Amino acid sequence: MQNIRTEPNTGKRFLAGFIDYLLIYTFTLVFIFAFGEPNADGEYSVTGLLAFIPMIFWGIMTVGLEMGIGATVGNSLVGLKAIPKSGINRNLTFGESFKRHLVDPIDMFFFGLVGIITINNTDLNQRVGDLWAGTIVVRNKNLTE
């Protein structure tokens, strides 16, 4: 394992998650109102193959960006990057990134309390998704090629 310094960075990580999911939820709501059909209660819903579009968008905005450019939009804006626990400065694989983000709802439960508790109480400042995926989050300035 390379000597990479991890820090809780809870404020930056909270902001990054907020930015990422604000983009994802905004897209989803606009998409549902644009392509959805109103039901008997006046609520909009999307059915059939169109229902997969928000899920695909989620995958691109989280897993796709981490694999392709090394960070989500939120992490890029706040100067953070998720890397393997080994400390090697590389983009995450599909499996690593998918595992990290699949449990985002757990980490974000009760306004991020679960994530904050695990980040502040694990040796490498990992949230539940990082523990499962074997990843850490570091500041870009702490990385070396």
Side-chain angles (χ1 to χ4, degrees), residues 85-106:
K85 186 178 170 181
S86 66
I88 297 170
N89 182 10
R90 67 161 170 81
N91 294 356
L92 297 181
T93 64
F94 174 83
E96 290 166 336
S97 185
F98 186 72
K99 284 180 180 179
R100 284 188 83 239
H101 292 291
L102 191 61
V103 296
D104 280 353
I106 295 170

mmCIF file of all heavy atoms in Angstrom, residues 85-106:
data_model
loop_
_atom_site.group_PDB
_atom_site.id
_atom_site.type_symbol
_atom_site.label_atom_id
_atom_site.label_comp_id
_atom_site.label_asym_id
_atom_site.label_seq_id
_atom_site.Cartn_x
_atom_site.Cartn_y
_atom_site.Cartn_z
ATOM 1 N N LYS A 85 -8.049 1.250 -2.304
ATOM 2 C CA LYS A 85 -7.483 1.279 -0.949
ATOM 3 C C LYS A 85 -5.964 1.091 -0.957
ATOM 4 O O LYS A 85 -5.274 1.542 -0.056
ATOM 5 C CB LYS A 85 -8.167 0.183 -0.126
ATOM 6 C CG LYS A 85 -7.817 0.154 1.321
ATOM 7 C CD LYS A 85 -8.612 -0.946 1.999
ATOM 8 C CE LYS A 85 -8.128 -1.197 3.401
ATOM 9 N NZ LYS A 85 -8.882 -2.290 4.046
ATOM 10 N N SER A 86 -5.441 0.479 -2.009
ATOM 11 C CA SER A 86 -3.993 0.264 -2.119
ATOM 12 C C SER A 86 -3.234 1.576 -2.236
ATOM 13 O O SER A 86 -2.028 1.615 -2.036
ATOM 14 C CB SER A 86 -3.686 -0.615 -3.339
ATOM 15 O OG SER A 86 -4.034 0.075 -4.537
ATOM 16 N N GLY A 87 -3.943 2.658 -2.585
ATOM 17 C CA GLY A 87 -3.305 3.960 -2.720
ATOM 18 C C GLY A 87 -2.786 4.257 -4.107
ATOM 19 O O GLY A 87 -2.211 5.312 -4.349
ATOM 20 N N ILE A 88 -2.990 3.352 -5.041
ATOM 21 C CA ILE A 88 -2.548 3.575 -6.417
ATOM 22 C C ILE A 88 -3.442 4.638 -7.051
ATOM 23 O O ILE A 88 -4.667 4.549 -6.997
ATOM 24 C CB ILE A 88 -2.613 2.266 -7.236
ATOM 25 C CG1 ILE A 88 -1.651 1.233 -6.650
ATOM 26 C CG2 ILE A 88 -2.294 2.534 -8.710
ATOM 27 C CD1 ILE A 88 -1.821 -0.153 -7.230
ATOM 28 N N ASN A 89 -2.823 5.647 -7.642
ATOM 29 C CA ASN A 89 -3.569 6.735 -8.263
ATOM 30 C C ASN A 89 -4.045 6.309 -9.645
ATOM 31 O O ASN A 89 -3.354 6.484 -10.640
ATOM 32 C CB ASN A 89 -2.696 7.987 -8.361
ATOM 33 C CG ASN A 89 -3.453 9.162 -8.962
ATOM 34 O OD1 ASN A 89 -4.670 9.120 -9.136
ATOM 35 N ND2 ASN A 89 -2.741 10.219 -9.272
ATOM 36 N N ARG A 90 -5.233 5.711 -9.692
ATOM 37 C CA ARG A 90 -5.846 5.305 -10.949
ATOM 38 C C ARG A 90 -7.354 5.469 -10.835
ATOM 39 O O ARG A 90 -7.898 5.546 -9.733
ATOM 40 C CB ARG A 90 -5.488 3.867 -11.315
ATOM 41 C CG ARG A 90 -6.079 2.829 -10.358
ATOM 42 C CD ARG A 90 -6.097 1.443 -11.007
ATOM 43 N NE ARG A 90 -6.424 0.395 -10.067
ATOM 44 C CZ ARG A 90 -7.664 0.081 -9.681
ATOM 45 N NH1 ARG A 90 -8.702 0.769 -10.095
ATOM 46 N NH2 ARG A 90 -7.866 -0.915 -8.830
ATOM 47 N N ASN A 91 -8.015 5.536 -11.984
ATOM 48 C CA ASN A 91 -9.468 5.587 -11.986
ATOM 49 C C ASN A 91 -10.011 4.252 -11.493
ATOM 50 O O ASN A 91 -9.388 3.205 -11.695
ATOM 51 C CB ASN A 91 -9.994 5.875 -13.388
ATOM 52 C CG ASN A 91 -9.621 7.255 -13.876
ATOM 53 O OD1 ASN A 91 -9.029 8.061 -13.151
ATOM 54 N ND2 ASN A 91 -9.960 7.544 -15.109
ATOM 55 N N LEU A 92 -11.164 4.295 -10.865
ATOM 56 C CA LEU A 92 -11.776 3.081 -10.353
ATOM 57 C C LEU A 92 -12.278 2.203 -11.488
ATOM 58 O O LEU A 92 -12.631 2.684 -12.561
ATOM 59 C CB LEU A 92 -12.945 3.426 -9.423
ATOM 60 C CG LEU A 92 -12.594 4.211 -8.164
ATOM 61 C CD1 LEU A 92 -13.848 4.446 -7.331
ATOM 62 C CD2 LEU A 92 -11.527 3.520 -7.337
ATOM 63 N N THR A 93 -12.337 0.902 -11.229
ATOM 64 C CA THR A 93 -12.931 -0.038 -12.180
ATOM 65 C C THR A 93 -14.454 0.052 -12.063
ATOM 66 O O THR A 93 -14.985 0.664 -11.127
ATOM 67 C CB THR A 93 -12.504 -1.480 -11.860
ATOM 68 O OG1 THR A 93 -13.031 -1.845 -10.581
ATOM 69 C CG2 THR A 93 -10.982 -1.632 -11.888
ATOM 70 N N PHE A 94 -15.145 -0.565 -13.002
ATOM 71 C CA PHE A 94 -16.604 -0.598 -12.953
ATOM 72 C C PHE A 94 -17.074 -1.184 -11.621
ATOM 73 O O PHE A 94 -17.935 -0.621 -10.947
ATOM 74 C CB PHE A 94 -17.185 -1.416 -14.119
ATOM 75 C CG PHE A 94 -18.673 -1.579 -14.022
ATOM 76 C CD1 PHE A 94 -19.518 -0.575 -14.475
ATOM 77 C CD2 PHE A 94 -19.226 -2.719 -13.460
ATOM 78 C CE1 PHE A 94 -20.896 -0.703 -14.374
ATOM 79 C CE2 PHE A 94 -20.598 -2.856 -13.354
ATOM 80 C CZ PHE A 94 -21.442 -1.848 -13.817
ATOM 81 N N GLY A 95 -16.519 -2.321 -11.231
ATOM 82 C CA GLY A 95 -16.944 -2.989 -9.999
ATOM 83 C C GLY A 95 -16.722 -2.134 -8.762
ATOM 84 O O GLY A 95 -17.596 -2.061 -7.890
ATOM 85 N N GLU A 96 -15.565 -1.508 -8.659
ATOM 86 C CA GLU A 96 -15.269 -0.662 -7.497
ATOM 87 C C GLU A 96 -16.243 0.506 -7.422
ATOM 88 O O GLU A 96 -16.816 0.786 -6.366
ATOM 89 C CB GLU A 96 -13.840 -0.128 -7.580
ATOM 90 C CG GLU A 96 -12.773 -1.178 -7.382
ATOM 91 C CD GLU A 96 -11.385 -0.708 -7.802
ATOM 92 O OE1 GLU A 96 -11.259 0.212 -8.635
ATOM 93 O OE2 GLU A 96 -10.405 -1.287 -7.302
ATOM 94 N N SER A 97 -16.434 1.186 -8.528
ATOM 95 C CA SER A 97 -17.304 2.352 -8.520
ATOM 96 C C SER A 97 -18.761 1.964 -8.312
ATOM 97 O O SER A 97 -19.495 2.625 -7.574
ATOM 98 C CB SER A 97 -17.138 3.135 -9.827
ATOM 99 O OG SER A 97 -17.897 4.312 -9.773
ATOM 100 N N PHE A 98 -19.203 0.889 -8.961
ATOM 101 C CA PHE A 98 -20.595 0.444 -8.810
ATOM 102 C C PHE A 98 -20.893 0.088 -7.360
ATOM 103 O O PHE A 98 -21.922 0.475 -6.817
ATOM 104 C CB PHE A 98 -20.871 -0.738 -9.741
ATOM 105 C CG PHE A 98 -22.311 -1.160 -9.763
ATOM 106 C CD1 PHE A 98 -23.262 -0.366 -10.396
ATOM 107 C CD2 PHE A 98 -22.721 -2.328 -9.153
ATOM 108 C CE1 PHE A 98 -24.600 -0.742 -10.425
ATOM 109 C CE2 PHE A 98 -24.046 -2.714 -9.169
ATOM 110 C CZ PHE A 98 -24.991 -1.923 -9.810
ATOM 111 N N LYS A 99 -19.990 -0.634 -6.716
ATOM 112 C CA LYS A 99 -20.178 -0.983 -5.301
ATOM 113 C C LYS A 99 -20.254 0.273 -4.436
ATOM 114 O O LYS A 99 -21.100 0.372 -3.552
ATOM 115 C CB LYS A 99 -19.033 -1.876 -4.804
ATOM 116 C CG LYS A 99 -19.108 -3.299 -5.249
ATOM 117 C CD LYS A 99 -17.909 -4.056 -4.680
ATOM 118 C CE LYS A 99 -17.905 -5.499 -5.078
ATOM 119 N NZ LYS A 99 -16.725 -6.196 -4.531
ATOM 120 N N ARG A 100 -19.349 1.234 -4.670
ATOM 121 C CA ARG A 100 -19.351 2.477 -3.886
ATOM 122 C C ARG A 100 -20.709 3.163 -3.941
ATOM 123 O O ARG A 100 -21.220 3.631 -2.941
ATOM 124 C CB ARG A 100 -18.329 3.487 -4.449
ATOM 125 C CG ARG A 100 -16.927 3.246 -4.155
ATOM 126 C CD ARG A 100 -16.058 4.422 -4.614
ATOM 127 N NE ARG A 100 -16.085 5.445 -3.569
ATOM 128 C CZ ARG A 100 -16.513 6.677 -3.753
ATOM 129 N NH1 ARG A 100 -16.932 7.095 -4.914
ATOM 130 N NH2 ARG A 100 -16.507 7.523 -2.760
ATOM 131 N N HIS A 101 -21.263 3.252 -5.141
ATOM 132 C CA HIS A 101 -22.473 4.049 -5.330
ATOM 133 C C HIS A 101 -23.762 3.262 -5.138
ATOM 134 O O HIS A 101 -24.810 3.866 -4.900
ATOM 135 C CB HIS A 101 -22.437 4.732 -6.689
ATOM 136 C CG HIS A 101 -21.372 5.771 -6.750
ATOM 137 N ND1 HIS A 101 -21.437 6.946 -6.024
ATOM 138 C CD2 HIS A 101 -20.180 5.799 -7.390
ATOM 139 C CE1 HIS A 101 -20.350 7.654 -6.239
ATOM 140 N NE2 HIS A 101 -19.574 6.977 -7.061
ATOM 141 N N LEU A 102 -23.704 1.948 -5.211
ATOM 142 C CA LEU A 102 -24.908 1.153 -5.001
ATOM 143 C C LEU A 102 -25.451 1.338 -3.589
ATOM 144 O O LEU A 102 -26.657 1.307 -3.371
ATOM 145 C CB LEU A 102 -24.628 -0.330 -5.283
ATOM 146 C CG LEU A 102 -25.851 -1.229 -5.358
ATOM 147 C CD1 LEU A 102 -26.778 -0.792 -6.499
ATOM 148 C CD2 LEU A 102 -25.422 -2.680 -5.558
ATOM 149 N N VAL A 103 -24.560 1.580 -2.641
ATOM 150 C CA VAL A 103 -24.998 1.769 -1.254
ATOM 151 C C VAL A 103 -25.059 3.247 -0.847
ATOM 152 O O VAL A 103 -25.149 3.555 0.342
ATOM 153 C CB VAL A 103 -24.130 0.955 -0.262
ATOM 154 C CG1 VAL A 103 -24.270 -0.533 -0.491
ATOM 155 C CG2 VAL A 103 -22.678 1.360 -0.338
ATOM 156 N N ASP A 104 -25.057 4.148 -1.830
ATOM 157 C CA ASP A 104 -25.238 5.573 -1.518
ATOM 158 C C ASP A 104 -26.475 5.830 -0.657
ATOM 159 O O ASP A 104 -26.406 6.635 0.271
ATOM 160 C CB ASP A 104 -25.310 6.420 -2.791
ATOM 161 C CG ASP A 104 -23.940 6.726 -3.385
ATOM 162 O OD1 ASP A 104 -22.919 6.406 -2.749
ATOM 163 O OD2 ASP A 104 -23.904 7.296 -4.501
ATOM 164 N N PRO A 105 -27.607 5.169 -0.922
ATOM 165 C CA PRO A 105 -28.774 5.422 -0.056
ATOM 166 C C PRO A 105 -28.506 5.108 1.419
ATOM 167 O O PRO A 105 -29.021 5.792 2.299
ATOM 168 C CB PRO A 105 -29.853 4.506 -0.633
ATOM 169 C CG PRO A 105 -29.472 4.319 -2.061
ATOM 170 C CD PRO A 105 -27.958 4.309 -2.060
ATOM 171 N N ILE A 106 -27.682 4.107 1.688
ATOM 172 C CA ILE A 106 -27.346 3.788 3.089
ATOM 173 C C ILE A 106 -26.462 4.887 3.661
ATOM 174 O O ILE A 106 -26.693 5.390 4.757
ATOM 175 C CB ILE A 106 -26.649 2.413 3.183
ATOM 176 C CG1 ILE A 106 -27.626 1.308 2.769
ATOM 177 C CG2 ILE A 106 -26.108 2.180 4.593
ATOM 178 C CD1 ILE A 106 -26.992 -0.051 2.592
#
